[in-house]
Amino acid sequence: EAGVTQFPSHSVIEKGQTVTLRCDPISGHDNLYWYRRVMGKEIKFLLHFVKESKQDESGMPNNRFLAERTGGTYSTLKVQPAELEDSGVYFCASSQDGVSGRNEQFFGPGTRLTVL
Amino acid sequence: LAKTTQPISMDSYEGQEVNITCSHNNIATNDYITWYQQFPSQGPRFIIQGYKTKVTNEVASLFIPADRKSSTLSLPRVSLSDTAVYYCLVGDIMTGGFKTIFGAGTRLFVKA
């Protein structure tokens, strides 16, 4: 079974440009999460989708970040315009319904974003 | 959400048992305790999850006392490949997924 995949693995852009990160969750996982780690900091939650709906977007830093999950499958995270402080590693994770009594989040390898 | 506290780093030798303790004094009734492992340049990987007492799987054991204010991840006979960062998290998993809060984690270094 394929795991969570993320694209691209690395992205280098200039300040003010736009970048779109993509996450493909494990097939059948309704829950999809975005996290990020900026240099030297802890991994921070950004938002959580249940299917195509945003369950919790309390971690989104500002309105330059837009996450979508059309059709409840893959998700995109767009940063527009990018700022220097947006540099870091962006992780995506997915999980099945937690009602089963266990919530194991499967993480992708991350996208390393560098804003120059 | 409950905040967790773990040692920043630990050293061990191959073949030893490693116990990493996590404090979560404000854990809520519906919260589960989950441990993740992360290698450099990879995403975190689920190790084990539990609610109370003891949970064991093929890679680790999780000990949770009755008051649930702490938990201990036990790694039997570690090898060099167990060198990684280990995160302890708490959250309510029964709502279809939960907002996962990562702390600083514990950096385990296994020496030959």
Side-chain angles (χ1 to χ4, degrees), chain B residues 40-59:
Chain B
S41 301
Q42 294 185 24
R45 183 174 71 101
F46 176 95
I47 301 176
I48 198 166
Q49 185 176 75
Y51 184 80
K52 62 181 179 180
T53 62
K54 177 183 174 182
V55 179
T56 297
N57 62 22
E58 62 277 7
V59 298

Side-chain angles (χ1 to χ4, degrees), chain A residues 5-13 19-22 34-41 43 77 79 84 86-92 108-116, chain B residues 38-43:
Chain A
T5 58
Q6 295 186 243
F7 182 83
S9 57
H10 294 84
S11 181
V12 181
I13 61 173
V19 63
T20 300
L21 313 181
R22 173 171 170 143
W34 283 98
Y35 300 85
R36 75 171 179 177
R37 168 186 271 150
V38 295
M39 185 65 70
K41 302 289 188 180
I43 299 173
L77 179 64
V79 185
L84 298 178
D86 299 332
S87 295
V89 181
Y90 289 76
F91 293 104
C92 174
T111 293
R112 181 172 296 277
L113 174 65
T114 302
V115 183
L116 302 176
Chain B
Q38 186 178 27
F39 298 111
S41 301
Q42 294 185 24

